[in-house]
Amino acid sequence: MKVLWLCNVMLPAIAEQLHMEASNKEGWITGLAEVLLRRKAENGIDLAIAFPVPAELLPKDHKFLKRTVTVNNETVIGYGFAEDTVHPEHYDAGLEESMKKITGDFHPDMIHCFGTEYPHTLAMCRAYENKKQILITIQGLCSVYANVYFADLEEKVKRSVTFRDWLKKDTLLMQQEKYVKRGAYEIEAVKLAGNVGGRTPWDYHYALEWNPGVRYFEMRETLRSMFYEGRWERANCIPHSIFLSQGDYPIKGFHYMLKAMPKILKKYPDAQVFVAGNSLVNYETLKDKIKISAYGKYLRQLIRENHLEGKVTILGKLTGAQMKEQYLKSHLFVCPSSIENSPNSLGEAMILGMPCVSAEVGGVTGIFTDGEDGILYPGCKSPANSYDRVDTCTDLEEVSDHLAEAVLAMWDDEEKQAYYCENAAGHASRNHDRDRNYAQTVAVYTAIVSAARK
């Protein structure tokens, strides 16, 4: 069975062999690749992986770059194609020709598109003739995210513009509009695809809303291998430290956390926040001041107004091993996002047995049970999103207060905290079970190929 993966990023193992910077995003794809390739003799899958690369890497007058690489000691064909991933709101019809050339070279029995967020998925769905051979697995959904992109920010913040925003044509309002445009491509792709894979009631809802005739498969995600070992222990963590996996755009909800901190600090004055990823708040040099965005400026304002200097640490880009280390030494993982499907960061924290608090948004309840695995608090909602079933938008102060109350409730009851940790680890171990998810994936691939041949 010849399977072509269409991915948003290169697998780190491929990036290393092509001497390119590796991305730590979408680590579950690496997890799935590892187990599929390790059991290749059993499943008979011949895997090829297509991914965006800078245009200058392509040979002259070629639509793709082809390289044979080794992943997990198995040979894989890598196809690089040119795409402007910095501006995914722009659809390049030339991608359709790239997809035709790649599929014409590999001749796949089926195509697995990981996510709908970039134009290459729509290009594949338009270019490839047999739609029954196409599977899209839903990650996030730009069209749904667009409606809660601002994450309850005040109107004056939404409309603020810095020099950087003006120069890059990347104001908060423009960022949201880009999600709207990407969402239009996404909806068309789902309408064209013969098969959709998902893992939560949330993604099932939208897949069937957009394409009532689509064949939907449950497909749960496999985490990076390092997260299946080790366990969080209270004695080894920094007391009252909070870890967020991202915070560099409004959807990730860093501002909710900063608004919640004064209430948390009243009871736990040693509380502090650690955030992985790029820092938006640097303001030391002239270059920092020129580069700061409106959202970064707002985060700085919240830190200053709430006297959080010395209480907030931006950790920068972390490897998988560094992420695991940070989980294990933190007292609480918080997912304050305005929208998620099933955040793998939450799954990683859960499987390590960490105390976890999350906003009840999107598909989170598909992997995390309130009162069993940890604490869910009421998060951002919008009447524009049919799954939310609400009449009005939520409020920044209200959501931040709910977050603060959830953090305090977790730390106030150590006995219940231990109960949550044990349940979370068990739930995540089942949810991200490598053998089950492997078998599920092979079964889905087999079903799609069989149906497409009829």
Side-chain angles (χ1 to χ4, degrees):
M1 184 186 344
K2 298 181 75 174
V3 178
L4 173 65
W5 282 5
L6 182 61
C7 301
N8 297 336
V9 295
M10 266 186 277
L11 268 66
I14 295 176
E16 183 180 346
Q17 290 169 70
L18 295 182
H19 307 291
M20 296 184 67
E21 185 179 356
S23 170
N24 290 314
K25 294 181 179 179
E26 304 182 6
W28 62 91
I29 300 177
T30 293
L32 179 58
E34 286 173 350
V35 68
L36 277 179
L37 291 168
R38 188 171 64 249
R39 301 173 71 167
K40 182 177 179 178
E42 169 193 314
N43 58 52
I45 291 174
D46 185 9
L47 185 65
I49 304 175
F51 43 81
V53 296
E56 57 268 23
L57 289 184
L58 298 189
K60 191 175 181 181
D61 300 324
H62 282 63
K63 286 293 181 180
F64 63 85
L65 167 77
K66 183 179 180 180
R67 292 286 186 272
T68 300
V69 295
T70 302
V71 179
N72 216 42
N73 297 319
E74 293 290 344
T75 299
V76 171
I77 298 174
Y79 290 101
F81 58 88
E83 182 178 29
D84 182 6
T85 54
V86 177
H87 300 101
E89 70 279 7
H90 297 150
Y91 185 81
D92 177 7
L95 280 168
E96 295 173 30
E97 186 63 23
S98 299
M99 297 302 117
K100 287 177 182 177
K101 294 287 187 183
I102 290 170
T103 54
D105 185 80
F106 185 64
H107 302 290
D109 293 305
M110 65 157 289
I111 299 159
H112 182 174
C113 305
F114 287 85
T116 57
E117 302 97 324
Y118 288 85
H120 57 245
T121 294
L122 174 56
M124 180 64 82
C125 290
R126 285 180 174 177
Y128 197 73
E129 188 172 337
N130 190 345
K131 312 304 182 192
K132 288 183 179 180
Q133 289 179 278
I134 299 175
L135 166 71
I136 294 175
T137 44
I138 293 174
Q139 297 174 173
L141 292 173
C142 294
S143 53
V144 183
Y145 283 25
N147 295 322
V148 288
Y149 184 82
F150 298 122
D152 297 317
L153 290 175
E154 301 162 45
E155 196 65 30
K156 65 179 181 180
V157 178
K158 289 191 279 187
R159 297 190 174 278
S160 61
V161 180
T162 63
F163 177 75
R164 172 262 178 209
D165 298 340
W166 172 81
L167 188 66
K168 286 180 160 286
K169 296 182 173 59
D170 191 43
T171 68
L172 283 166
L173 292 171
M174 290 174 177
Q175 290 170 24
Q176 191 265 352
E177 182 57 33
K178 291 171 187 177
Y179 267 73
V180 172
K181 290 178 180 178
R182 294 167 71 182
Y185 307 146
E186 159 187 275
I187 292 170
E188 183 184 343
V190 172
K191 286 181 176 178
L192 286 171
N195 309 278
V196 165
R199 57 207 179 275
T200 66
W202 180 84
D203 63 39
Y204 176 82
H205 170 90
Y206 288 108
L208 273 291
E209 181 175 280
W210 298 340
N211 186 353
V214 78
R215 193 177 184 191
Y216 181 93
F217 294 94
E218 181 183 359
M219 299 183 72
R220 297 197 175 272
E221 292 177 333
T222 296
L223 302 175
R224 292 173 284 186
S225 57
M226 66 193 71
F227 289 99
Y228 291 88
E229 298 176 357
R231 182 61 70 92
W232 179 88
E233 292 183 23
R234 171 70 177 85
N236 296 334
C237 75
I238 301 169
H240 306 128
S241 57
I242 298 168
F243 181 42
L244 276 61
S245 64
Q246 289 186 65
D248 55 1
Y249 61 118
I251 283 173
K252 294 303 175 182
F254 188 14
H255 54 287
Y256 292 119
M257 191 74 252
L258 296 178
K259 293 281 283 186
M261 281 299 287
K263 191 171 184 177
I264 296 167
L265 286 165
K266 280 184 181 178
K267 186 156 191 181
Y268 295 101
D270 59 339
Q272 52 185 318
V273 179
F274 295 87
V275 187
N278 299 323
S279 175
L280 299 188
V281 299
N282 291 344
Y283 207 67
E284 301 301 318
T285 67
L286 177 61
K287 187 177 179 181
D288 290 338
K289 293 172 183 177
I290 290 171
K291 287 176 63 177
I292 198 162
S293 66
Y295 186 57
K297 192 173 180 180
Y298 175 62
L299 295 176
R300 280 185 56 82
Q301 177 188 325
L302 290 180
I303 291 170
R304 185 172 60 252
E305 289 178 352
N306 294 316
H307 309 291
L308 300 177
E309 295 88 349
K311 292 292 185 181
V312 177
T313 304
I314 313 294
L315 299 167
K317 183 179 177 181
L318 301 182
T319 65
Q322 289 169 329
M323 283 288 289
K324 180 179 176 182
E325 180 185 358
Q326 191 62 44
Y327 286 123
L328 293 176
K329 69 182 184 182
S330 299
H331 196 173
L332 179 66
F333 177 77
V334 173
C335 176
S337 302
S338 64
I339 189 72
E340 294 280 358
N341 185 8
S342 64
N344 272 63
S345 55
L346 179 58
E348 290 167 353
M350 288 172 66
I351 205 167
L352 293 172
M354 268 194 83
C356 297
V357 161
S358 176
E360 186 178 354
V361 295
V364 169
T365 56
I367 67 165
F368 186 81
T369 305
D370 182 43
E372 292 291 327
D373 303 325
I375 300 174
L376 287 173
Y377 64 90
C380 183
K381 304 285 183 184
S382 168
N385 286 335
S386 58
Y387 189 80
D388 286 352
R389 300 180 185 89
V390 294
D391 297 324
T392 58
C393 291
T394 43
D395 172 81
L396 175 59
E397 299 291 341
E398 181 183 11
V399 173
S400 300
D401 282 346
H402 286 312
L403 168 54
E405 289 162 8
V407 171
L408 295 176
M410 180 64 78
W411 285 342
D412 285 348
D413 191 335
E414 289 201 11
E415 185 176 335
K416 187 161 276 190
Q417 182 184 125
Y419 170 80
Y420 291 149
C421 292
E422 189 66 29
N423 288 342
H427 190 175
S429 295
R430 296 188 298 274
N431 212 32
H432 302 289
D433 183 277
R434 288 179 284 192
D435 290 334
R436 190 193 73 168
N437 294 350
Y438 159 79
Q440 190 179 57
T441 299
V442 173
V444 169
Y445 287 0
T446 302
I448 289 171
V449 171
S450 298
R453 287 172 175 167
K454 291 180 181 177

